[in-house]
Amino acid sequence: MSSHKSDFPILSQKIHGNPLVYLDSSATAQQPLVVLNAIQQYYEASHANVHRGVHELSARATTLFENTRKKIQKMLNASHAHEIIFTSGTTSAINLVANTFGKNFKPDDEVIISEMEHHSNIVPWQLLPVKLKVIPISDQGEIDLTEYQKLFSSKTKLVSITHASNVLGTVNPLKKIIEIAHQKNIPVLVDGAQAFPHMPVDVLDLNCDFYTFSAHKAYGPTGVGVLYGKTEALQKLPPYQGGGAMIESVSFEKSTYAPLPYKFEAGTPNIANVVGFHAALEYLTNIGMENIREHEKKLLEVATEKLNAIAGLKIIGSAKEKLGVLSFTLKDIHPHDIATILDREGIAVRAGHHCAMPIMTRFNIPACVRASFGLYNTVDDIDALVKGIETTKRIFHV
Ligand code: PLP
Protein backbone atom coordinates (compact mmCIF):
# COMPACT_ATOMS: atom_id res chain seq x y z
CA MET A 1 0.00 0.00 0.00
CA SER A 2 1.41 3.42 -0.90
CA SER A 3 1.76 6.00 1.86
CA HIS A 4 -1.37 7.94 2.67
CA LYS A 5 0.23 10.29 5.18
CA SER A 6 -0.05 13.32 2.92
CA ASP A 7 -3.85 12.91 2.85
CA PHE A 8 -3.90 13.97 6.52
CA PRO A 9 -3.09 17.70 7.01
CA ILE A 10 -2.49 17.35 10.76
CA LEU A 11 0.33 14.84 10.23
CA SER A 12 2.59 17.26 8.34
CA GLN A 13 3.38 19.37 11.40
CA LYS A 14 6.34 19.33 13.76
CA ILE A 15 5.97 18.69 17.48
CA HIS A 16 8.76 20.06 19.72
CA GLY A 17 10.80 20.60 16.55
CA ASN A 18 10.47 17.00 15.33
CA PRO A 19 8.19 15.61 12.62
CA LEU A 20 5.00 14.30 14.22
CA VAL A 21 4.85 10.51 14.49
CA TYR A 22 1.26 9.73 15.42
CA LEU A 23 0.96 6.33 17.12
CA ASP A 24 -2.29 6.84 19.02
CA SER A 25 -4.95 5.83 16.50
CA SER A 26 -6.60 3.43 18.93
CA ALA A 27 -7.54 6.42 21.07
CA THR A 28 -8.67 8.44 18.08
CA ALA A 29 -7.63 8.47 14.43
CA GLN A 30 -6.83 11.59 12.39
CA GLN A 31 -9.01 12.85 9.55
CA PRO A 32 -8.05 13.02 5.88
CA LEU A 33 -8.65 16.33 4.09
CA VAL A 34 -11.68 14.88 2.27
CA VAL A 35 -13.49 14.58 5.61
CA LEU A 36 -12.69 18.16 6.65
CA ASN A 37 -13.79 19.40 3.22
CA ALA A 38 -17.04 17.43 3.34
CA ILE A 39 -17.99 19.01 6.67
CA GLN A 40 -17.16 22.50 5.43
CA GLN A 41 -19.04 21.98 2.16
CA TYR A 42 -22.03 20.67 4.05
CA TYR A 43 -22.19 23.80 6.22
CA GLU A 44 -21.58 26.08 3.22
CA ALA A 45 -24.17 24.54 0.90
CA SER A 46 -26.58 22.10 2.50
CA HIS A 47 -27.09 22.66 6.23
CA ALA A 48 -30.63 22.39 7.59
CA ASN A 49 -32.39 20.12 10.03
CA VAL A 50 -33.06 16.61 8.76
CA HIS A 51 -36.35 14.77 8.26
CA ARG A 52 -38.39 17.88 9.10
CA GLY A 53 -38.53 20.53 6.44
CA VAL A 54 -40.02 20.42 2.97
CA HIS A 55 -37.55 23.04 1.73
CA GLU A 56 -34.63 22.26 -0.53
CA LEU A 57 -31.88 22.56 2.09
CA SER A 58 -33.66 20.19 4.45
CA ALA A 59 -34.11 17.70 1.62
CA ARG A 60 -30.38 17.96 0.76
CA ALA A 61 -29.29 17.56 4.38
CA THR A 62 -31.60 14.56 4.79
CA THR A 63 -30.26 12.90 1.64
CA LEU A 64 -26.64 13.38 2.75
CA PHE A 65 -27.42 12.13 6.26
CA GLU A 66 -29.28 9.05 5.00
CA ASN A 67 -26.54 8.33 2.45
CA THR A 68 -24.16 7.72 5.35
CA ARG A 69 -26.59 5.22 6.83
CA LYS A 70 -26.77 3.40 3.47
CA LYS A 71 -23.00 3.45 3.13
CA ILE A 72 -22.60 1.88 6.60
CA GLN A 73 -25.22 -0.75 5.78
CA LYS A 74 -23.24 -1.68 2.68
CA MET A 75 -19.89 -1.73 4.46
CA LEU A 76 -21.21 -3.92 7.28
CA ASN A 77 -23.22 -6.08 4.87
CA ALA A 78 -26.31 -5.43 7.00
CA SER A 79 -29.65 -6.50 5.55
CA HIS A 80 -31.43 -3.12 5.89
CA ALA A 81 -30.49 0.54 6.29
CA HIS A 82 -32.95 0.80 9.21
CA GLU A 83 -30.66 -1.57 11.16
CA ILE A 84 -28.11 1.26 11.40
CA ILE A 85 -28.79 3.60 14.34
CA PHE A 86 -26.74 6.77 14.78
CA THR A 87 -25.46 7.43 18.28
CA SER A 88 -22.73 9.68 19.64
CA GLY A 89 -20.19 6.84 19.86
CA THR A 90 -19.55 3.26 20.92
CA THR A 91 -20.13 4.17 24.55
CA SER A 92 -23.58 5.61 23.88
CA ALA A 93 -24.45 2.66 21.59
CA ILE A 94 -23.64 0.15 24.36
CA ASN A 95 -25.53 2.28 26.89
CA LEU A 96 -28.51 2.32 24.52
CA VAL A 97 -28.63 -1.49 24.51
CA ALA A 98 -27.99 -1.70 28.26
CA ASN A 99 -30.86 0.69 29.00
CA THR A 100 -33.36 -0.95 26.64
CA PHE A 101 -32.46 -4.63 26.34
CA GLY A 102 -31.39 -4.57 30.00
CA LYS A 103 -34.48 -2.75 31.20
CA ASN A 104 -36.08 -5.83 32.70
CA PHE A 105 -32.94 -7.51 34.05
CA LYS A 106 -33.24 -8.94 37.56
CA PRO A 107 -30.37 -8.73 40.07
CA ASP A 108 -29.43 -12.39 39.64
CA ASP A 109 -29.54 -12.30 35.81
CA GLU A 110 -26.16 -12.53 34.11
CA VAL A 111 -24.27 -10.84 31.28
CA ILE A 112 -21.11 -12.52 29.98
CA ILE A 113 -18.22 -10.20 29.12
CA SER A 114 -14.48 -10.84 28.87
CA GLU A 115 -11.46 -9.85 30.91
CA MET A 116 -10.24 -7.65 28.03
CA GLU A 117 -13.19 -5.25 27.87
CA HIS A 118 -12.91 -1.48 27.69
CA HIS A 119 -14.70 0.26 30.58
CA SER A 120 -17.48 1.12 28.09
CA ASN A 121 -18.43 -2.54 27.98
CA ILE A 122 -18.21 -3.06 31.74
CA VAL A 123 -19.70 -0.05 33.51
CA PRO A 124 -23.01 0.26 31.56
CA TRP A 125 -23.86 -3.26 32.79
CA GLN A 126 -22.80 -2.44 36.33
CA LEU A 127 -25.33 0.39 36.38
CA LEU A 128 -28.06 -2.26 35.97
CA PRO A 129 -29.25 -4.83 38.41
CA VAL A 130 -27.31 -7.67 36.74
CA LYS A 131 -24.27 -9.84 37.49
CA LEU A 132 -21.18 -9.90 35.28
CA LYS A 133 -19.61 -13.24 34.36
CA VAL A 134 -16.11 -12.73 33.02
CA ILE A 135 -14.33 -14.90 30.42
CA PRO A 136 -10.68 -15.26 31.48
CA ILE A 137 -7.82 -14.58 29.08
CA SER A 138 -4.50 -16.40 28.71
CA ASP A 139 -1.02 -14.93 29.21
CA GLN A 140 -0.92 -14.37 25.43
CA GLY A 141 -4.11 -12.32 25.75
CA GLU A 142 -6.50 -14.78 24.14
CA ILE A 143 -10.03 -15.73 25.19
CA ASP A 144 -10.34 -19.12 26.88
CA LEU A 145 -13.20 -20.70 24.91
CA THR A 146 -13.52 -23.68 27.25
CA GLU A 147 -14.01 -21.40 30.26
CA TYR A 148 -16.39 -19.26 28.17
CA GLN A 149 -18.73 -22.21 27.60
CA LYS A 150 -18.81 -22.93 31.33
CA LEU A 151 -20.14 -19.42 32.12
CA PHE A 152 -23.59 -19.96 30.61
CA SER A 153 -26.45 -20.63 33.01
CA SER A 154 -30.23 -20.37 33.03
CA LYS A 155 -29.71 -16.75 34.14
CA THR A 156 -27.59 -15.69 31.15
CA LYS A 157 -29.25 -12.88 29.20
CA LEU A 158 -26.54 -11.57 26.89
CA VAL A 159 -22.94 -11.98 25.76
CA SER A 160 -21.29 -8.59 25.30
CA ILE A 161 -17.77 -8.80 23.96
CA THR A 162 -15.15 -6.79 22.18
CA HIS A 163 -14.18 -7.66 18.61
CA ALA A 164 -10.62 -6.52 19.33
CA SER A 165 -8.82 -5.39 22.46
CA ASN A 166 -7.63 -1.78 22.64
CA VAL A 167 -4.68 -2.82 24.84
CA LEU A 168 -3.65 -6.30 23.72
CA GLY A 169 -4.64 -5.91 20.08
CA THR A 170 -6.21 -9.39 20.22
CA VAL A 171 -8.84 -10.04 17.56
CA ASN A 172 -11.34 -12.40 19.15
CA PRO A 173 -12.71 -15.52 17.40
CA LEU A 174 -16.11 -13.86 17.17
CA LYS A 175 -17.82 -16.33 14.87
CA LYS A 176 -17.13 -19.16 17.30
CA ILE A 177 -18.10 -17.03 20.31
CA ILE A 178 -21.39 -16.03 18.67
CA GLU A 179 -22.16 -19.56 17.50
CA ILE A 180 -21.73 -20.90 21.03
CA ALA A 181 -24.04 -18.21 22.47
CA HIS A 182 -26.68 -18.76 19.80
CA GLN A 183 -26.70 -22.52 20.44
CA LYS A 184 -27.96 -21.49 23.87
CA ASN A 185 -30.36 -18.87 22.43
CA ILE A 186 -28.37 -16.00 23.91
CA PRO A 187 -27.92 -12.83 21.82
CA VAL A 188 -24.50 -11.24 21.35
CA LEU A 189 -23.45 -7.59 21.34
CA VAL A 190 -20.07 -6.82 19.81
CA ASP A 191 -17.97 -3.80 20.76
CA GLY A 192 -16.38 -3.08 17.40
CA ALA A 193 -14.71 0.23 18.36
CA GLN A 194 -11.22 -1.09 17.62
CA ALA A 195 -11.96 -3.60 14.87
CA PHE A 196 -14.19 -1.63 12.48
CA PRO A 197 -11.49 0.90 11.41
CA HIS A 198 -8.86 -1.75 10.76
CA MET A 199 -10.45 -4.77 9.08
CA PRO A 200 -13.45 -5.78 6.97
CA VAL A 201 -16.52 -6.41 9.13
CA ASP A 202 -19.47 -8.47 7.90
CA VAL A 203 -22.30 -8.55 10.43
CA LEU A 204 -24.29 -11.15 8.47
CA ASP A 205 -21.33 -13.50 8.36
CA LEU A 206 -20.59 -12.90 12.07
CA ASN A 207 -24.31 -13.31 12.79
CA CYS A 208 -24.05 -10.92 15.77
CA ASP A 209 -27.24 -9.39 17.14
CA PHE A 210 -25.70 -5.97 17.83
CA TYR A 211 -22.46 -4.34 16.62
CA THR A 212 -21.19 -0.95 17.82
CA PHE A 213 -18.42 1.44 16.77
CA SER A 214 -17.28 5.09 16.75
CA ALA A 215 -16.65 7.30 13.72
CA HIS A 216 -13.67 9.10 15.29
CA LYS A 217 -11.60 5.90 15.44
CA ALA A 218 -12.41 5.27 11.77
CA TYR A 219 -10.91 8.52 10.41
CA GLY A 220 -14.23 10.34 10.80
CA PRO A 221 -15.30 13.15 13.13
CA THR A 222 -15.97 12.91 16.86
CA GLY A 223 -19.49 12.72 18.27
CA VAL A 224 -20.83 10.06 15.89
CA GLY A 225 -21.23 6.37 16.53
CA VAL A 226 -23.23 3.45 15.27
CA LEU A 227 -25.39 0.76 16.74
CA TYR A 228 -26.14 -1.98 14.25
CA GLY A 229 -28.88 -4.37 15.32
CA LYS A 230 -30.71 -7.16 13.55
CA THR A 231 -34.23 -5.94 12.74
CA GLU A 232 -35.87 -8.49 15.04
CA ALA A 233 -33.46 -7.62 17.88
CA LEU A 234 -34.04 -3.85 17.53
CA GLN A 235 -37.81 -4.23 17.20
CA LYS A 236 -37.97 -5.95 20.56
CA LEU A 237 -36.32 -2.98 22.32
CA PRO A 238 -38.37 -0.18 23.89
CA PRO A 239 -37.45 3.40 22.92
CA TYR A 240 -34.38 4.79 24.67
CA GLN A 241 -34.61 8.58 24.80
CA GLY A 242 -37.82 10.48 24.15
CA GLY A 243 -38.16 13.65 22.12
CA GLY A 244 -38.52 14.94 18.58
CA ALA A 245 -37.98 12.68 15.59
CA MET A 246 -38.57 9.43 17.47
CA ILE A 247 -42.37 9.70 17.59
CA GLU A 248 -45.23 8.90 15.27
CA SER A 249 -47.90 10.78 17.24
CA VAL A 250 -47.97 12.62 20.57
CA SER A 251 -50.84 13.57 22.84
CA PHE A 252 -50.91 14.18 26.58
CA GLU A 253 -52.55 10.80 27.06
CA LYS A 254 -50.30 8.66 24.88
CA SER A 255 -47.49 8.80 22.36
CA THR A 256 -46.65 6.29 19.67
CA TYR A 257 -43.19 5.78 18.29
CA ALA A 258 -41.56 6.04 14.90
CA PRO A 259 -40.37 2.90 13.11
CA LEU A 260 -36.71 1.90 12.98
CA PRO A 261 -34.21 3.53 12.90
CA TYR A 262 -35.82 6.81 14.06
CA LYS A 263 -37.31 5.28 17.20
CA PHE A 264 -33.76 5.40 18.63
CA GLU A 265 -32.72 8.78 17.23
CA ALA A 266 -34.45 11.36 19.42
CA GLY A 267 -33.56 15.00 18.83
CA THR A 268 -31.42 16.68 16.20
CA PRO A 269 -28.56 14.34 15.35
CA ASN A 270 -24.93 15.30 14.69
CA ILE A 271 -25.78 15.95 11.05
CA ALA A 272 -22.57 17.61 9.85
CA ASN A 273 -20.36 14.96 11.36
CA VAL A 274 -22.50 12.12 10.04
CA VAL A 275 -22.06 13.71 6.60
CA GLY A 276 -18.32 14.00 7.26
CA PHE A 277 -18.23 10.36 8.26
CA HIS A 278 -19.52 9.42 4.82
CA ALA A 279 -16.37 10.95 3.32
CA ALA A 280 -14.23 8.92 5.74
CA LEU A 281 -16.02 5.71 4.79
CA GLU A 282 -15.62 6.44 1.07
CA TYR A 283 -11.94 7.12 1.71
CA LEU A 284 -11.58 3.76 3.52
CA THR A 285 -13.41 1.74 0.89
CA ASN A 286 -11.37 3.38 -1.89
CA ILE A 287 -8.19 2.15 -0.23
CA GLY A 288 -9.85 -1.16 0.67
CA MET A 289 -10.30 -2.56 4.16
CA GLU A 290 -8.34 -5.72 3.20
CA ASN A 291 -5.40 -3.56 2.10
CA ILE A 292 -5.55 -1.57 5.32
CA ARG A 293 -5.57 -4.80 7.37
CA GLU A 294 -2.58 -6.15 5.42
CA HIS A 295 -0.63 -2.90 5.75
CA GLU A 296 -1.16 -2.74 9.51
CA LYS A 297 -0.34 -6.45 9.91
CA LYS A 298 3.03 -5.81 8.26
CA LEU A 299 3.65 -2.81 10.51
CA LEU A 300 2.80 -4.93 13.54
CA GLU A 301 5.22 -7.66 12.43
CA VAL A 302 8.08 -5.19 11.95
CA ALA A 303 7.34 -3.35 15.19
CA THR A 304 7.02 -6.56 17.22
CA GLU A 305 10.38 -7.78 15.98
CA LYS A 306 12.12 -4.46 16.61
CA LEU A 307 10.61 -3.89 20.05
CA ASN A 308 11.25 -7.48 21.15
CA ALA A 309 14.95 -6.87 20.40
CA ILE A 310 15.11 -4.05 22.97
CA ALA A 311 16.50 -5.35 26.25
CA GLY A 312 14.15 -4.77 29.18
CA LEU A 313 11.10 -4.11 27.00
CA LYS A 314 8.13 -6.41 27.54
CA ILE A 315 5.22 -6.53 25.08
CA ILE A 316 1.81 -7.13 26.67
CA GLY A 317 -0.30 -9.36 24.45
CA SER A 318 0.98 -11.81 21.87
CA ALA A 319 -2.21 -13.31 20.44
CA LYS A 320 -2.03 -15.03 17.06
CA GLU A 321 -4.61 -12.66 15.59
CA LYS A 322 -3.75 -9.07 16.46
CA LEU A 323 -4.49 -5.56 15.27
CA GLY A 324 -1.71 -2.99 14.97
CA VAL A 325 -1.60 -2.35 18.70
CA LEU A 326 1.60 -2.74 20.72
CA SER A 327 1.45 -2.24 24.46
CA PHE A 328 4.62 -2.52 26.48
CA THR A 329 6.50 -1.85 29.69
CA LEU A 330 10.18 -0.93 29.89
CA LYS A 331 11.95 -2.16 33.02
CA ASP A 332 10.43 -0.22 35.90
CA ILE A 333 10.27 3.13 34.11
CA HIS A 334 6.86 4.66 34.61
CA PRO A 335 4.83 4.61 31.35
CA HIS A 336 4.06 8.33 31.72
CA ASP A 337 7.79 9.10 31.80
CA ILE A 338 8.32 7.04 28.64
CA ALA A 339 5.41 8.77 26.87
CA THR A 340 6.71 12.20 27.96
CA ILE A 341 10.19 11.54 26.56
CA LEU A 342 8.70 10.16 23.34
CA ASP A 343 6.53 13.27 23.07
CA ARG A 344 9.66 15.46 23.18
CA GLU A 345 10.80 13.49 20.11
CA GLY A 346 7.49 14.22 18.36
CA ILE A 347 6.10 10.71 18.96
CA ALA A 348 2.50 10.50 20.22
CA VAL A 349 1.78 7.32 22.18
CA ARG A 350 -0.66 6.61 25.01
CA ALA A 351 0.34 5.76 28.57
CA GLY A 352 -1.91 4.64 31.38
CA HIS A 353 -4.56 2.01 31.92
CA HIS A 354 -6.25 2.71 28.55
CA CYS A 355 -9.74 2.56 30.09
CA ALA A 356 -9.23 -1.15 30.65
CA MET A 357 -8.16 -1.40 34.29
CA PRO A 358 -9.05 -5.12 34.60
CA ILE A 359 -6.40 -5.90 31.94
CA MET A 360 -3.79 -4.10 34.05
CA THR A 361 -4.85 -6.23 37.01
CA ARG A 362 -4.72 -9.40 34.88
CA PHE A 363 -1.14 -8.69 33.78
CA ASN A 364 -0.15 -7.36 37.18
CA ILE A 365 0.98 -3.95 35.95
CA PRO A 366 -0.24 -0.50 37.02
CA ALA A 367 -0.09 0.89 33.50
CA CYS A 368 1.66 0.48 30.14
CA VAL A 369 2.65 2.39 27.03
CA ARG A 370 0.62 1.77 23.88
CA ALA A 371 1.69 2.43 20.32
CA SER A 372 -1.20 1.92 17.92
CA PHE A 373 -1.04 2.08 14.15
CA GLY A 374 -3.34 3.53 11.55
CA LEU A 375 -3.39 3.32 7.78
CA TYR A 376 -1.07 6.37 7.56
CA ASN A 377 1.78 4.87 9.59
CA THR A 378 5.00 3.66 8.00
CA VAL A 379 8.09 1.65 8.93
CA ASP A 380 9.85 5.01 9.41
CA ASP A 381 7.41 5.73 12.24
CA ILE A 382 8.39 2.45 13.90
CA ASP A 383 12.08 3.33 13.52
CA ALA A 384 11.37 6.68 15.17
CA LEU A 385 9.62 4.86 18.03
CA VAL A 386 12.57 2.49 18.50
CA LYS A 387 14.98 5.45 18.52
CA GLY A 388 12.77 7.22 21.09
CA ILE A 389 12.75 4.15 23.33
CA GLU A 390 16.56 3.93 23.10
CA THR A 391 16.76 7.60 24.14
CA THR A 392 14.47 6.84 27.10
CA LYS A 393 16.74 3.99 28.14
CA ARG A 394 19.81 6.23 27.98
CA ILE A 395 18.12 8.91 30.10
CA PHE A 396 17.11 6.33 32.73
CA HIS A 397 20.42 4.40 32.50
CA VAL A 398 18.71 1.05 31.91
N1 PLP B 1 -14.56 0.03 23.23
C1 PLP B 1 -13.25 -0.05 22.94
C2 PLP B 1 -12.64 -1.40 22.71
C3 PLP B 1 -12.50 1.11 22.84
O1 PLP B 1 -11.20 1.03 22.56
C4 PLP B 1 -13.13 2.36 23.06
C5 PLP B 1 -12.35 3.61 23.03
O2 PLP B 1 -11.16 3.62 23.20
C6 PLP B 1 -14.49 2.38 23.36
C7 PLP B 1 -15.18 1.20 23.43
C8 PLP B 1 -15.22 3.66 23.61
O3 PLP B 1 -15.31 4.41 22.44
P1 PLP B 1 -15.92 5.89 22.48
O4 PLP B 1 -15.13 6.63 23.52
O5 PLP B 1 -15.69 6.40 21.11
O6 PLP B 1 -17.35 5.78 22.83
Side-chain angles (χ1 to χ4, degrees), residues 26-27 89-92 118 120 162 164 166 191 193-194 214 216-217:
S26 286
T90 308
T91 305
S92 65
H118 186 277
S120 307
T162 194
N166 64 316
D191 171 353
Q194 291 300 331
S214 303
H216 72 96
K217 293 186 198 283

Side-chain angles (χ1 to χ4, degrees), residues 18-321:
N18 293 302
L20 168 62
V21 174
Y22 189 75
L23 296 175
D24 198 18
S25 295
S26 286
T28 194
Q30 301 298 351
Q31 284 67 47
L33 186 60
V34 285
V35 171
L36 309 179
N37 284 343
I39 295 169
Q40 182 163 353
Q41 275 164 21
Y42 166 76
Y43 275 126
E44 282 179 0
S46 307
H47 176 59
N49 214 330
V50 288
H51 307 133
R52 292 172 197 199
V54 287
H55 60 79
E56 172 62 20
L57 287 186
S58 181
R60 262 188 234 166
T62 303
T63 302
L64 289 169
F65 183 80
E66 291 300 325
N67 279 349
T68 309
R69 199 188 307 276
K70 288 185 199 145
K71 175 75 187 165
I72 296 167
Q73 175 205 350
K74 223 166 141 198
M75 263 184 97
L76 291 179
N77 192 29
S79 302
H80 307 281
H82 67 238
E83 295 179 321
I84 309 301
I85 313 288
F86 286 116
T87 67
S88 64
T90 308
T91 305
S92 65
I94 297 174
N95 274 279
L96 191 163
V97 178
N99 285 284
T100 53
F101 184 83
K103 204 168 182 173
N104 297 317
F105 283 174
K106 310 264 181 320
D108 57 347
D109 284 341
E110 295 167 356
V111 171
I112 297 178
I113 62 167
S114 83
E115 213 173 1
M116 66 171 85
E117 300 308 318
H118 186 277
H119 296 165
S120 307
N121 193 26
I122 302 173
V123 186
W125 309 112
Q126 287 176 328
L127 294 173
L128 300 175
V130 78
K131 279 191 197 130
L132 288 179
K133 296 291 217 170
V134 183
I135 315 166
I137 54 176
S138 67
D139 290 343
Q140 286 69 42
E142 290 174 331
I143 289 277
D144 186 329
L145 284 175
T146 314
E147 289 303 314
Y148 165 56
Q149 307 209 36
K150 290 187 201 157
L151 294 179
F152 287 86
S153 78
S154 60
K155 303 285 183 194
T156 308
K157 293 287 182 250
L158 179 76
V159 174
S160 190
I161 188 150
T162 194
H163 195 163
S165 162
N166 64 316
V167 178
L168 308 165
T170 312
V171 179
N172 282 322
L174 267 195
K175 272 187 91 164
K176 188 85 202 136
I177 288 168
I178 293 166
E179 196 185 302
I180 292 168
H182 284 176
Q183 277 163 6
K184 299 166 197 297
N185 283 324
I186 304 299
V188 181
L189 179 150
V190 180
D191 171 353
Q194 291 300 331
F196 176 79
H198 302 286
M199 59 194 285
V201 174
D202 182 329
V203 290
L204 276 193
D205 183 52
L206 288 173
N207 200 17
C208 54
D209 301 273
F210 302 105
Y211 194 95
T212 62
F213 60 92
S214 303
H216 72 96
K217 293 186 198 283
Y219 311 95
T222 52
V224 174
V226 167
L227 167 66
Y228 154 81
K230 282 182 182 170
T231 301
E232 57 274 25
L234 288 173
Q235 272 170 346
K236 278 187 210 147
L237 305 182
Y240 177 36
Q241 292 175 325
M246 55 75 73
I247 51 85
E248 206 168 56
S249 71
V250 175
S251 74
F252 291 121
E253 289 70 39
K254 182 180 161 59
S255 296
T256 57
Y257 307 115
L260 294 174
Y262 309 112
K263 175 174 143 186
F264 296 111
E265 293 181 358
T268 300
N270 194 340
I271 310 166
N273 285 356
V274 167
V275 173
F277 191 32
H278 187 274
L281 296 171
E282 285 279 314
Y283 178 82
L284 289 177
T285 44
N286 285 341
I287 298 173
M289 294 310 294
E290 288 286 0
N291 294 333
I292 292 170
R293 175 79 176 123
E294 276 316 303
H295 172 70
E296 292 174 7
K297 257 189 182 170
K298 278 186 204 132
L299 289 180
L300 179 72
E301 248 173 63
V302 174
T304 305
E305 199 183 318
K306 292 195 177 198
L307 263 63
N308 267 334
I310 299 175
L313 187 144
K314 189 164 173 266
I315 293 176
I316 316 291
S318 53
K320 269 190 226 89
E321 275 298 313

